[in-house]
Amino acid sequence: QVQLQESGPGLVKPSETLSLTCAVSGHSISSGYYWGWIRQPPGKGLEWIGHIHHSGSTYNNPSLKSRVTISVDTSKNQFSLKVSSVTAADTAVYYCARRGLVGIYYFDYWGQGTLVTVSS
Amino acid sequence: EIVLTQSPGTLSLSPGERATLSCRASQSVTSSYLAWYQQKPGQAPRLLIYGASSRATDIPDRFSGGGSGTDFTLTISRLEPEDFAVYYCQQYGSSPPMYTFGQGTKLEIK
């Protein structure tokens, strides 16, 4: 059974960098799937942030431009998200999720989510 | 960028009734790139339907998806108490490559 678990600080100051990690268990992160991040501001809808392949290929939401960095650590079977220069608008529940193999464009396994609040 | 618009925003029905949720795209969407998710309060979204009409693993057959082009639907044939939740459609577009979600339809008990 594939399981994903997000971890990281729940509170980040404005202008600083938000950093989260997603630990994957029950499945090798090098299996060919893509691994992504999706966020949900309180009471609002879902926004795709980006995803990464174990080869290191990344795809990010253009609306977040260069603020987003996604990386993968195959030795630890985990992947990470960094969002720089955060503002209150980045306050959200952040989910990590598995996207399908090449040609499959949906997310079939999700972490439970972690709330990150941007506040001084 | 393709925009997905879901309707209605809120749907009030009783257990046992049939629910039909709509997802309309601003441009034509490849059916194989359209998915539906269910989200309950405090939980992560759960994949229900992929490829517009294929049920994900362990999803009951009362859930069905259909549509093509710019108009897609999620139908729940007979509502069970556990089906009351928020439902999102999601698509993948290649120009630019990205994923977008609809704003959601809240299915509430009448």
Side-chain angles (χ1 to χ4, degrees), chain A residues 2-91:
Chain A
V2 182
Q3 292 186 313
L4 297 89
Q5 178 68 58
E6 307 89 349
S7 61
L11 181 63
V12 180
K13 290 182 168 56
S15 80
E16 296 190 344
T17 296
L18 176 162
S19 296
L20 296 174
T21 296
C22 181
V24 179
S25 58
H27 193 84
S28 171
I29 207 167
S30 300
S31 61
Y33 287 81
Y34 290 76
W35 305 91
W37 291 96
I38 295 143
R39 70 182 182 180
Q40 184 172 37
K44 296 187 177 181
L46 300 160
E47 179 184 34
W48 171 72
I49 299 170
H51 63 244
I52 190 166
H53 187 260
H54 71 85
S55 64
S57 297
T58 59
Y59 303 86
N60 295 339
N61 189 326
S63 70
L64 295 168
K65 298 183 180 177
S66 57
R67 294 201 299 131
V68 168
T69 302
I70 299 176
S71 58
V72 64
D73 187 337
T74 55
S75 66
K76 294 182 178 179
N77 216 44
Q78 64 186 34
F79 60 106
S80 300
L81 170 72
K82 292 186 187 296
V83 181
S84 63
S85 305
V86 297
T87 68
D90 295 306
T91 293

Side-chain angles (χ1 to χ4, degrees), chain A residues 40 48 51 95 99 105 107 111, chain B residues 33 37 39 44 88 90 99:
Chain A
Q40 184 172 37
W48 171 72
H51 63 244
Y95 296 99
R99 200 215 79 179
Y105 300 103
F107 301 91
Chain B
Y33 299 168
Y37 300 84
Q39 187 179 34
Y88 294 95
Q90 172 249 308
Y99 305 76

Side-chain angles (χ1 to χ4, degrees), chain B residues 32-53:
Chain B
S32 59
Y33 299 168
L34 196 287
W36 289 90
Y37 300 84
Q38 176 194 67
Q39 187 179 34
K40 296 180 180 179
Q43 296 185 17
R46 177 175 72 145
L47 178 68
L48 295 176
I49 301 286
Y50 63 91
S53 60

Side-chain angles (χ1 to χ4, degrees), chain B residues 2-48:
Chain B
I2 296 177
V3 175
L4 298 178
T5 301
Q6 293 185 240
S7 61
T10 301
L11 185 57
S12 300
L13 293 170
S14 301
E17 291 192 294
R18 179 185 186 90
T20 302
L21 286 66
S22 173
C23 176
R24 177 162 290 177
S26 59
Q27 310 171 33
S28 184
V29 172
T30 302
S31 293
S32 59
Y33 299 168
L34 196 287
W36 289 90
Y37 300 84
Q38 176 194 67
Q39 187 179 34
K40 296 180 180 179
Q43 296 185 17
R46 177 175 72 145
L47 178 68
L48 295 176

